[in-house]
């Protein structure tokens, strides 16, 4: 039991690791993508997602309610089985007090609290639960659909209340519900969009017309977004609608989630998962084979979780972006405290940084085999000679200086900004020339295949026949003499 508790706690930490928001400039294909399907123990037809206060991910599926700790999917069984209740969970809410509210396709609602899943219906269940939200004042709102009409109920201070025509509800096709940050409650009943203002007793219609298969969400700036068959747009207007693929799969509805960067993720589309980057006007669809997406959730670390017909998927910030088809030749130059990384490929020197979908070629030159420096200056060494590259604040080349001197196979820039190169001896960049260093390091005596700044004004060098050395003021001190290293040849 103790072992299981340790494993479960460790797994839960996988869902609560510090993360970073997804870069809206990167395409879906450039994000880190993970998938859990039936073979991994995930349930199918995941139509609802929520994250609890403890970090667990909750899934509403065709076979019931599941809790996911990052490794194991655990089915949560009710204290008492109700044979009249559908197994399909269609709505989930992780309330601020830690309760998990569960809505079913038929059979009403249940509540998970203190380790127990129990019935929570205030009256005989009708229709299927379409949504459960928590308003700013802590009230719980449940919307169900029965014969194409909305049944709306509110739970507050231990009491239930039903809403209907007397409170301003209009007849219309079933639509979504949104509890906004200002305390308002929005309902989309196509073609109507209704709003219940904080403290108001009746819903008031808004001027905007709503098309079928509507979805609502709010971004961090407080704007309310509407996605329907007419496209996606804020209800305040001011931005042209982006077109959306249709929704005509039976029993599937459209959902929208706007993440912390303002990117809108749309599920339920015939074309699969789609998203509209912040400030964009064109919806991007996930490329390649993608199962039907049914729900989306952003966890506290900024990852996007998607419920699908085959399980659950996660999109996270990628550590690397594609470098195209070109092979990398040198290692990476990654200056401290810089947003840029540099490397040399077949075609020249490239820069990678924020907001780039692909690496940018900043210095076209073939046969570069050695690169060193920082985000102010780079020294690039090719078969045609060496070049000193002065960079601007964007990381682009603003000036190129040809460097005279012998071909070198290694280089480094020390903590004082001095460039050094290595071949049969150590060379120092002096103006536009490479000149031999003073002292023993500047004398022939084995090829210097490795150079690194040591952080204290000197260099670390790997030199054939001598081993690993520290070089300061031209003098060499053996760190691992040749022939004594237990780890073989040192490459980096």
């Amino acid at each position: 039991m103790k072992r299981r508790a340790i494993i479960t706690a460790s797994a839960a930490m996988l869902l609560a690791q510090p993360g970073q928001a997804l870069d809206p400039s990167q395409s879906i294909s450039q994000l880190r993508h993970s998938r859990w399907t039936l073979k991994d123990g995930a349930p199918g037809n995941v139509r609802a997602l929520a994250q609890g206060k403890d970090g667990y991910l909750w899934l509403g599926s065709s076979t019931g309610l599941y809790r996911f700790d990052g490794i194991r999917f655990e089915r949560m069984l009710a204290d008492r089985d109700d044979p009249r209740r559908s197994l399909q969970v269609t709505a989930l809410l992780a309330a601020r007090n830690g309760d998990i509210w569960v809505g079913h396709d038929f059979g009403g609602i249940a509540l998970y609290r203190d380790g127990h899943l129990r019935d929570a219906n205030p009256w005989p269940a009708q229709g299927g639960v379409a949504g459960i939200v928590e308003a700013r004042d802590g009230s719980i709102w449940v919307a169900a659909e029965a014969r194409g009409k909305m049944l709306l109920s509110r739970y507050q201070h231990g009491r239930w209340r039903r809403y209907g025509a007397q409170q301003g509800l209009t007849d219309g096709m079933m639509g979504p519900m949104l509890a906004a940050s200002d305390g308002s409650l929005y309902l989309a009943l196509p073609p109507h969009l209704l709003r219940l203002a904080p403290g108001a007793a009746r819903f008031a219609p808004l001027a905007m017309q709503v098309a079928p298969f509507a979805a609502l969400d709010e971004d961090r700036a407080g704007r309310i977004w509407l996605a329907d068959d007419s496209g996606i747009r804020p209800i305040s207007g001011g931005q042209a609608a982006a077109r959306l693929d249709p929704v005509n799969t039976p029993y599937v509805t459209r959902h929208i989630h706007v993440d912390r960067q303002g990117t809108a993720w749309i599920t339920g589309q015939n074309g699969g998962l789609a998203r509209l980057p912040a400030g964009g006007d064109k919806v991007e669809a996930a490329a390649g084979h993608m199962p039907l997406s049914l729900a989306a959730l952003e966890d506290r670390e900024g990852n996007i979780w998607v419920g699908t017909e085959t399980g659950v998927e996660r999109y996270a910030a990628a550590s690397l972006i594609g470098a195209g088809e070109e092979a990398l030749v040198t290692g990476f130059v990654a200056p401290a405290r810089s947003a840029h990384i540099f490397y040399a490929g077949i075609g020249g020197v490239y820069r990678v940084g924020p907001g780039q979908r692909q690496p940018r070629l900043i210095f076209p030159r073939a046969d570069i085999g050695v690169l060193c420096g920082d985000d102010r200056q780079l020294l690039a060494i090719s078969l045609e000679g060496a070049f000193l590259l002065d960079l601007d604040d964007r990381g682009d080349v603003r000036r190129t200086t040809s460097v005279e001197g012998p071909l070198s196979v290694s280089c480094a820039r020390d903590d004082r900004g001095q460039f050094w190169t290595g071949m049969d001896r150590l060379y120092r960049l002096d103006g536009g020339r490479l000149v031999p260093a003073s002292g023993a390091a500047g004398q022939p005596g084995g090829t210097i295949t490795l150079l690194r700044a040591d952080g204290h004004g000197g260099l670390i060098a790997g030199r054939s026949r001598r081993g690993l050395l520290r070089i300061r003021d031209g003098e060499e001190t053996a760190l691992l003499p040749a022939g004594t290293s237990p780890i073989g040849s040192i490459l980096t």
Side-chain angles (χ1 to χ4, degrees):
M1 190 70 179
K2 180 178 179 182
R3 178 176 177 270
R4 179 179 175 184
I6 293 174
I7 292 175
T8 301
S10 299
M13 291 177 65
L14 296 175
L15 294 172
Q17 292 294 313
Q20 62 187 88
L22 304 188
D23 185 350
S25 69
Q26 291 186 340
S27 66
I28 294 179
S29 63
Q30 289 177 321
L31 301 176
R32 186 156 48 95
H33 182 210
S34 305
R35 176 180 293 169
W36 293 263
T37 63
L38 298 176
K39 67 181 178 62
D40 305 302
N45 204 35
V46 178
R47 291 175 59 180
L49 294 167
Q51 186 179 28
K53 290 182 65 177
D54 54 7
Y56 284 102
L57 192 69
W58 294 82
L59 291 76
S61 77
S62 59
T63 52
L65 177 67
Y66 285 78
R67 186 173 67 179
F68 183 43
D69 61 10
I71 295 178
R72 178 173 175 264
F73 294 89
E74 179 183 6
R75 187 181 177 194
M76 314 303 290
L77 299 176
D79 290 1
R80 294 181 58 185
D81 183 46
D82 184 351
R84 298 168 297 179
R85 172 168 284 163
S86 169
L87 289 177
Q88 176 69 65
V89 175
T90 54
L92 286 175
L93 168 68
R96 292 191 289 270
N97 66 355
D99 290 344
I100 304 295
W101 291 81
V102 186
H104 291 265
D105 186 46
F106 187 85
I109 57 174
L111 180 65
Y112 182 86
R113 177 187 290 170
D114 299 328
H116 296 276
L117 181 61
R118 299 189 174 105
D119 180 273
N121 286 317
W123 36 69
Q126 289 182 276
V129 177
I132 309 175
V133 299
E134 182 178 16
R136 188 179 65 178
D137 61 5
S139 57
I140 305 297
W141 295 78
V142 180
E145 178 188 12
R147 298 180 179 90
K149 293 186 178 181
M150 175 178 279
L151 302 176
L152 184 64
S153 305
R154 183 189 70 181
Y155 177 75
Q156 188 174 37
H157 305 312
R159 301 184 65 180
W160 285 94
R161 179 187 178 186
R162 278 195 165 173
Y163 278 66
Q166 291 183 345
Q167 289 79 37
L169 290 190
T170 59
D171 289 336
M173 297 173 59
M174 183 62 192
M177 176 173 53
L178 172 68
S181 59
D182 66 355
S184 302
L185 188 73
Y186 289 85
L187 292 176
L189 294 172
H192 308 291
L193 180 61
L194 308 179
R195 176 177 180 263
L196 181 67
R202 288 177 55 86
F203 283 88
L206 301 181
M208 173 171 279
Q209 292 289 296
V210 178
F213 293 101
L216 292 169
D217 199 21
E218 181 181 14
D219 65 20
R220 288 203 165 190
R223 289 177 298 180
I224 309 299
W225 289 82
L226 170 68
D228 59 16
D229 281 356
S230 295
I232 176 173
R233 60 224 184 263
I235 66 172
S236 57
Q239 179 172 324
R243 298 181 60 185
L244 292 173
D245 284 341
V247 178
N248 53 30
T249 305
Y251 307 109
V252 171
T253 57
R254 179 182 280 120
H255 293 276
I256 178 175
H257 173 77
V258 184
D259 68 22
R260 63 190 64 180
Q261 296 296 315
T263 294
W265 298 77
I266 306 102
T267 62
Q269 307 286 109
N270 286 2
L273 176 68
R275 72 170 190 170
L276 177 66
D281 58 5
K282 185 177 180 181
V283 172
E284 172 198 12
H289 175 70
M290 173 76 185
L292 181 65
S293 61
L294 303 171
L297 166 78
E298 183 180 19
D299 66 22
R300 292 196 291 268
E301 287 69 53
N303 305 305
I304 297 295
W305 295 82
V306 179
T308 75
E309 58 184 334
T310 62
V312 65
E313 310 197 0
R314 181 185 65 191
Y315 291 87
S319 301
L320 297 174
I321 67 173
E325 300 297 325
E326 182 169 312
L328 277 66
V329 177
T330 69
F332 292 104
V333 176
R337 298 177 300 278
S338 172
H340 304 298
I341 292 176
F342 304 91
Y343 68 90
I346 298 296
V349 178
Y350 289 83
R351 184 196 75 220
V352 179
Q356 291 181 236
R357 291 180 180 270
Q358 290 292 329
R360 176 180 175 84
L361 179 64
I362 63 171
F363 181 63
R365 180 74 62 167
D367 300 321
I368 293 176
V370 180
L371 184 70
C372 63
D374 53 27
D375 56 357
R376 296 167 296 171
Q377 284 186 315
L378 295 171
L379 182 60
I381 301 174
S382 76
L383 295 177
E384 301 175 1
F387 303 90
L388 183 65
L389 310 178
D390 289 285
L391 307 180
D392 60 23
D393 292 339
R394 299 186 305 273
D396 293 329
V397 177
R398 62 179 177 83
R399 183 174 60 189
T400 301
T401 303
S402 295
V403 175
E404 299 179 8
L407 177 68
S408 298
V409 296
S410 61
C411 77
R413 191 179 197 190
D414 67 21
D415 307 305
R416 293 170 291 190
Q418 175 66 57
F419 279 102
W420 303 85
T421 72
M423 189 59 178
D424 61 326
R425 66 189 78 191
L426 182 68
Y427 293 89
R428 174 175 56 87
L429 179 61
D430 184 7
R433 293 184 58 85
L434 293 174
V435 298
S438 61
Q443 300 298 317
T447 303
I448 299 177
T449 57
L450 167 68
L451 275 177
R452 294 289 187 274
D454 69 358
H456 301 285
L459 300 168
I460 300 294
R463 194 165 191 178
S464 62
R465 302 198 304 271
R466 294 195 185 183
L468 189 67
L469 312 170
R470 172 175 281 121
I471 300 176
R472 287 185 181 172
D473 299 325
E475 300 304 317
E476 299 177 345
T477 302
L479 299 177
L480 283 173
T484 66
S485 172
I487 59 175
S489 299
I490 297 171
L491 302 179
T492 190

